[in-house]
């Protein structure tokens, strides 16, 4: 016998029947059957406020037009979105909004991707009947060092103020004054401090909120858009690289509900100038104390020669911003070809990584009833978009306990025994305390206790998974007595060569004091990097490398999700980094024959079968989470 689904309701929109769960807005029910209702103030991540009136529709048996963004469906409801009355109101709303809106479209950053512009074309009046002077408001008002507000363009949709209240919880933006004088501003005109301001510019449906970095940089239709991943941290927020004439104009968000929930932090969003290439660089080798430009062949031969002389006494440091594909070859170069175990991606000694460090998925934070931030604000600073996920969960009832790295006892006392689902978030530096707290909580509470460690760099997790460590192999396997030295032990370990590979200036090789003394004593330093750095002065070989934004491959975020990065900028004169590794390995006698990144990815999956998860966007899981 068929069961009746009482939580579903059926209605018609423009004569088409649609069945949706109870509690669905008319706007979303219409969208489900491909009917677009124009909106300004409505936003899928925020509670409806129905202030712009752009989405008014006819609902049978209701005396007045209803805002589709704020009225929930009911069984048998009859909705009409294209009647004469609806069209008249849409025209009226737009005419009203445009009365004081400046004719800035030709010079507005939003022009070409502006809902007000688009909807005026589609639903608005062809001409203005307004005969009087427009009211003028302040333009280019600095809200912070990142954002400017054009008050004439603002249509008072409240999206930015609601973001500040409902999404980030910082309450920095507010509606000030009343009636026609209403403006958006910060409290007391103080500069905004939020770490998430770039999101305001993305959700603003007009060009009122603009990023200083992107002002007047490009028209949207002139941008080349490339889907990729933010290079800022191990969160793995999805981005779009928007570039014009091979120059990055901006990073925009690209929604991945499991990771970023469609938001970016300002650190990541505004980090793009670090990835802009400044010069046409060629490989160089040091001869008679001076660096000379040479061909790739010469630089590779020079490197092969030096590495041969170093024998197994060569160390390799690969950045936690390298792709998994680069790391696969880098590890093979050291472990298989050079027979050297001295491999690392870390800058400091941190407790050993293990698969259980990611037993809590980012999106599952919303399903916890208690979360401990072990290390407090430093966890958020290490992956700022985590705060937005935590705040979203807090609004649904999550209790968040922020304690110092050494205050695990406070967390243990603060979590009640009847907790249903507990999460511990910590940086790698506090891992030992996190594991200890987890095991104590597992004995105390009746529900589950999981942890998520914030790794370093956009691919610190991949580097651990792939064994870019002196003491663990791919998949956290033991090296059976073949362990090498960690980076911090390299000075004084009798090494004769160092190969540093660095794809991102945000996660580069910064020598410690001990290393600064040690580096000049090495017979061979190979520096394979994107941007010039002080290490150039000590290098014997410099290979220009591709930046994070110039290459294809995959990276693994803190929770083990393997995501693709793509080449958003061209630097064709730079030999792909993995090809340099291959040429060096083959010069040392290996017979590698990779022709593409895809072939290395396939090898990676053969090496680590859990990495097959990347084809579906799932997380790499190494076993059942605890
Ligand atoms: S600044 Fe933009 S987002 Fe904020 S209220 Fe005005 S139009 Fe809306
Ligand atoms: S949280 Fe990390 S990955 Fe996400 S936008 Fe910020 S820096 Fe980028
Ligand atoms: S979108 Fe519905 S009232 Fe603004």
């Amino acid at each position: 016998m068929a069961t009746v689904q009482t939580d579903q309701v059926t209605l018609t929109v423009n004569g088409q029947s649609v069945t949706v769960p109870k509690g669905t807005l008319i706007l979303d029910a219409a969208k489900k059957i491909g009917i677009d209702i124009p909106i300004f103030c409505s936003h899928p991540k925020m509670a409806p406020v129905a202030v712009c009136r752009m989405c008014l529709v006819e609902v049978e048996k209701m005396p007045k037009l209803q805002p589709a963004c704020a009225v929930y469906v009911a069984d048998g409801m009859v909705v009409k979105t294209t009647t004469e009355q609806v069209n008249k109101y849409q025209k009226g709303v737009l005419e009203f909004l445009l009365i004081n809106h400046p004719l800035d479209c030709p010079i507005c950053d939003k022009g070409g991707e502006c809902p007000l512009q688009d909807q005026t074309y589609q639903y608005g009046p062809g001409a203005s009947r307004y005969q009087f002077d427009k009211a003028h408001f302040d333009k280019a008002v600095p809200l912070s060092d990142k954002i400017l507000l054009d008050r004439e363009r603002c249509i008072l949709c409240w999206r930015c103020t609601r973001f500040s209240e409902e999404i980030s919880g910082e309450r920095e933006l507010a509606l000030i004054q009343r009636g026609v004088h209403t403006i958006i501003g910060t409290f007391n005109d103080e500069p905004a401090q939020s770490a998430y301001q770039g999101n305001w510019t993305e959700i603003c449906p007009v060009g009122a909120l603009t990023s200083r970095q992107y002002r007047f940089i490009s028209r949207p239709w002139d941008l080349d858009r490339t889907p990729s991943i933010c290079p800022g941290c191990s969160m793995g927020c999805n981005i779009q690289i928007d570039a014009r004439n091979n120059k990055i104009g901006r990073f925009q968000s690209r929604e991945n509900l499991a990771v970023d929930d469609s938001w970016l932090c300002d650190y990541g969003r505004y980090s793009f100038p670090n990835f802009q290439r400044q010069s046409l660089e060629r490989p160089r080798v040091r001869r008679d104390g001076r660096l000379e430009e040479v061909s790739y062949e010469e630089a590779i031969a020079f490197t092969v020669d030096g590495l041969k002389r170093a024998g197994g006494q060569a160390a390799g440091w690969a950045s936690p911003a390298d792709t998994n594909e680069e790391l696969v070859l880098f590890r093979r170069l050291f472990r298989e070809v050079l027979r050297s175990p001295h491999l690392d991606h870390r800058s400091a000694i941190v407790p050993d990584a293990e698969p259980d460090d990611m037993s809590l998925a980012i999106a599952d934070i919303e399903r916890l009833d208690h979360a401990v931030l072990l290390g407090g604000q430093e966890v958020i600073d290490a992956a700022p978009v985590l705060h937005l996920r935590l705040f979203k969960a807090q609004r649904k009832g999550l209790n968040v306990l922020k304690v110092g790295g050494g205050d695990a006892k406070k967390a243990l006392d603060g979590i009640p025994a009847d907790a249903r689902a507990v999460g511990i978030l910590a940086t790698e530096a506090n891992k030992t305390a996190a594991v200890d707290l987890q095991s104590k909580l597992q004995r105390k509470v009746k529900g589950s206790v999981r942890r998520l460690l914030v790794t370093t760099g956009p691919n610190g997790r991949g580097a651990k998974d792939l064994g870019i460590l002196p003491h663990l192999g791919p998949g956290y396997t033991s090296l059976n007595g073949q362990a090498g030295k960690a980076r911090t032990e390299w000075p004084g370990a009798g090494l004769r060569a160092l190969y540093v590979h660095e794809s991102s200036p945000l996660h580069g090789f910064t020598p410690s004091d001990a290393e600064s003394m040690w580096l000049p004593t090495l017979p061979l330093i190979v520096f394979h990097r994107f941007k010039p750095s002080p290490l150039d002065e000590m290098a014997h070989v410099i290979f220009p490398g591709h930046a994070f934004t110039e290459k294809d491959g995959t990276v693994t975020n803190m929770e083990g999700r393997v995501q693709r990065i793509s080449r958003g900028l061209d630097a064709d004169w730079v030999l792909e980094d993995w090809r340099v590794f291959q040429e060096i390995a083959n010069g040392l006698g290996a017979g590698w024959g990779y022709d593409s990144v895809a072939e290395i990815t396939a090898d990676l999956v053969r090496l680590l079968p859990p990495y097959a998860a990347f084809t579906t966007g799932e997380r790499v899981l190494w076993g059942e989470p605890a």
Side-chain angles (χ1 to χ4, degrees):
M1 195 177 84
T3 52
V4 180
Q5 287 186 296
T6 52
D7 56 344
Q8 301 284 307
V9 295
T10 299
L11 65 154
T12 65
V13 184
N14 296 349
Q16 285 187 60
S17 175
V18 57
T19 301
V20 288
K22 258 186 194 165
T24 301
L25 294 164
I26 293 176
L27 181 72
D28 297 325
K31 197 179 286 170
K32 190 176 170 197
I33 48 173
I35 295 175
D36 253 341
I37 298 172
I39 55 166
F40 288 121
C41 67
S42 170
H43 191 282
K45 306 277 180 202
M46 302 175 203
V49 282
V51 292
C52 77
R53 318 308 283 176
M54 188 63 208
C55 66
L56 293 178
V57 293
E58 260 183 58
V59 179
E60 260 184 33
K61 299 193 183 127
M62 289 196 176
K64 293 191 291 188
L65 296 187
Q66 299 296 314
C69 72
V71 175
Y72 295 102
V73 293
D75 214 23
M77 194 179 240
V78 177
V79 178
K80 293 176 186 155
T81 72
T82 54
T83 63
E84 205 177 304
Q85 196 191 11
V86 170
N87 292 344
K88 184 176 157 212
Y89 270 77
Q90 285 167 340
K91 272 196 176 61
V93 168
L94 284 164
E95 187 173 26
F96 190 66
L97 285 176
L98 293 173
I99 279 179
N100 286 323
H101 198 83
L103 268 177
D104 281 355
C105 299
I107 48 102
C108 176
D109 288 338
K110 201 81 171 189
E113 55 184 10
C114 172
L116 180 60
Q117 200 178 39
D118 294 346
Q119 289 176 29
T120 300
Y121 277 120
Q122 199 174 346
Y123 304 98
S128 172
R129 294 177 295 166
Y130 193 64
Q131 302 286 327
F132 311 98
D133 285 344
K134 287 174 184 274
H136 291 291
F137 291 91
D138 293 336
K139 293 180 90 67
V141 179
L143 289 189
S144 70
D145 56 347
K146 299 170 201 148
I147 304 291
L148 293 172
L149 167 65
D150 186 313
R151 289 198 167 120
E152 284 188 343
R153 297 180 192 162
C154 174
I155 59 168
L156 295 174
C157 71
W158 305 4
R159 279 189 179 186
C160 55
T161 53
R162 284 183 289 151
F163 178 94
S164 190
E165 182 168 343
E166 297 174 30
I167 307 293
S168 71
E170 295 157 316
R171 298 179 169 220
E172 279 201 298
L173 292 180
L175 289 155
I176 300 166
Q177 301 185 23
R178 291 287 175 271
V180 73
H181 301 293
T182 308
I183 53 170
I184 296 293
T186 54
F187 285 110
N188 294 331
D189 279 339
E190 294 285 333
Q193 302 289 324
S194 168
Y196 310 97
Q197 296 173 34
N199 298 297
W200 305 344
T201 67
E202 283 201 48
I203 58 173
C204 179
V206 292
L209 288 162
T210 54
S211 284
R212 284 177 190 260
Q213 273 185 340
Y214 181 66
R215 271 172 78 79
F216 310 123
I217 291 295
S218 177
R219 309 313 315 232
W221 53 84
D222 287 328
L223 292 169
D224 297 317
R225 297 160 191 253
T226 309
S228 196
I229 301 299
C230 173
C233 78
S234 60
M235 187 90 186
C237 298
N238 292 204
I239 60 164
Q240 178 178 279
I241 302 170
D242 282 351
R244 184 182 178 194
N245 297 333
N246 217 27
K247 197 165 187 305
I248 306 176
R250 62 184 181 183
F251 285 165
Q252 290 283 85
S253 68
R254 194 166 56 87
E255 181 179 81
N256 183 332
L257 295 178
V259 180
D260 46 61
D261 209 19
S262 80
W263 311 119
L264 298 181
C265 75
D266 292 342
Y267 172 71
R269 181 190 296 274
Y270 296 125
S271 68
F272 68 81
N274 290 291
F275 299 93
Q276 193 59 57
R277 190 172 282 281
Q278 305 297 342
S279 63
L280 283 169
E281 228 194 340
R282 305 278 171 199
R284 282 175 289 165
V285 299
R286 191 174 295 279
R287 289 194 180 115
D288 301 326
R290 289 164 51 90
L291 284 169
E292 285 174 18
E293 260 193 23
V294 293
S295 65
Y296 270 99
E297 290 74 19
E298 280 177 88
I300 286 165
F302 189 101
T303 305
V304 167
D305 194 43
L307 288 172
K308 271 184 187 158
R309 274 190 264 120
Q313 294 309 305
W317 188 86
S319 152
D322 288 0
T323 64
N324 288 319
E325 288 71 13
E326 288 166 343
L327 296 176
V328 166
L329 297 200
F330 198 71
R331 186 194 60 81
R332 288 191 65 193
L333 173 63
F334 274 80
R335 291 262 159 77
E336 295 174 17
V337 182
L338 290 166
R339 304 252 168 232
S340 164
H342 311 301
L343 205 52
D344 218 333
H345 72 282
R346 302 165 301 175
S347 297
I349 292 287
V350 287
D352 271 356
E354 53 193 323
D356 212 23
D357 291 342
M358 48 185 176
S359 55
L360 173 67
I362 291 169
D364 283 347
I365 290 172
E366 289 181 43
R367 288 177 264 285
L368 301 174
D369 52 359
H370 292 271
V372 179
L373 256 64
L374 194 59
Q377 184 60 29
E378 80 187 36
V379 180
I380 301 299
D381 291 344
V385 167
L386 268 182
H387 161 73
L388 303 183
R389 184 72 72 166
L390 282 160
F391 187 68
K392 184 179 181 189
Q394 268 179 294
R395 285 170 56 89
K396 294 195 229 164
L398 171 71
N399 287 298
V400 177
L401 204 55
K402 286 189 181 180
V403 297
D407 284 341
K409 169 90 172 58
K410 219 186 257 177
L412 184 61
D413 295 342
I415 305 290
D418 62 354
R420 187 181 41 77
V422 182
I424 301 168
L425 293 109
T427 57
E428 290 176 289
N430 285 323
K431 169 168 173 169
T432 309
V435 173
D436 184 53
L437 176 63
Q438 184 180 13
S439 80
K440 285 181 177 147
L441 280 171
Q442 276 165 339
R443 288 196 292 276
K444 175 178 176 181
V445 306
K446 69 172 189 225
S448 65
V449 185
R450 297 175 184 218
R451 70 172 184 265
L452 178 60
L453 286 200
V454 180
T455 40
T456 303
N459 201 26
R461 171 62 63 200
K464 291 174 204 316
D465 289 352
L466 289 164
I468 309 298
L469 289 165
H471 59 299
L472 288 172
Y476 304 92
T477 48
S478 157
L479 289 178
N480 296 322
Q482 302 293 308
K485 302 272 186 218
R487 172 176 164 181
T488 47
E489 300 168 313
W490 290 346
L495 295 169
R496 298 181 47 75
L498 171 68
Y499 193 136
V500 172
H501 184 252
E502 177 185 295
S503 319
S504 161
L506 303 181
H507 299 97
F509 184 97
T510 306
S512 63
D513 289 348
E515 285 168 340
S516 297
M517 307 278 285
W518 164 64
L519 289 170
T521 69
L522 281 171
L524 178 69
I525 299 174
V526 182
F527 193 25
H528 191 168
R529 52 45 171 175
F530 162 61
K531 264 216 165 142
S533 91
L535 199 55
D536 287 4
E537 296 305 314
M538 288 179 254
H540 301 93
V541 186
I542 297 175
F543 285 110
H546 279 121
F548 194 86
T549 44
E550 294 174 338
K551 59 177 87 177
D552 294 315
T554 60
V555 291
T556 311
N557 79 350
M558 65 169 90
E559 58 168 356
R561 196 174 302 278
V562 187
Q563 307 185 96
R564 280 187 192 285
I565 66 167
S566 306
R567 189 170 55 162
L569 299 172
D570 288 329
D572 291 342
W573 67 95
V574 176
L575 190 60
E576 288 160 289
D577 300 39
W578 64 267
R579 285 190 197 275
V580 174
F581 298 157
Q582 174 159 281
E583 293 304 316
I584 293 171
N586 288 345
L588 288 162
W592 299 356
Y594 295 107
D595 274 329
S596 67
V597 172
E599 286 181 18
I600 310 173
T601 314
D603 241 14
L604 161 64
V605 174
R606 271 192 289 276
L607 176 75
L608 290 177
Y611 261 69
F614 93 91
T615 53
T616 57
E618 297 299 312
R619 296 195 302 140
V620 172
L621 295 178
W622 300 96
E624 279 307 300

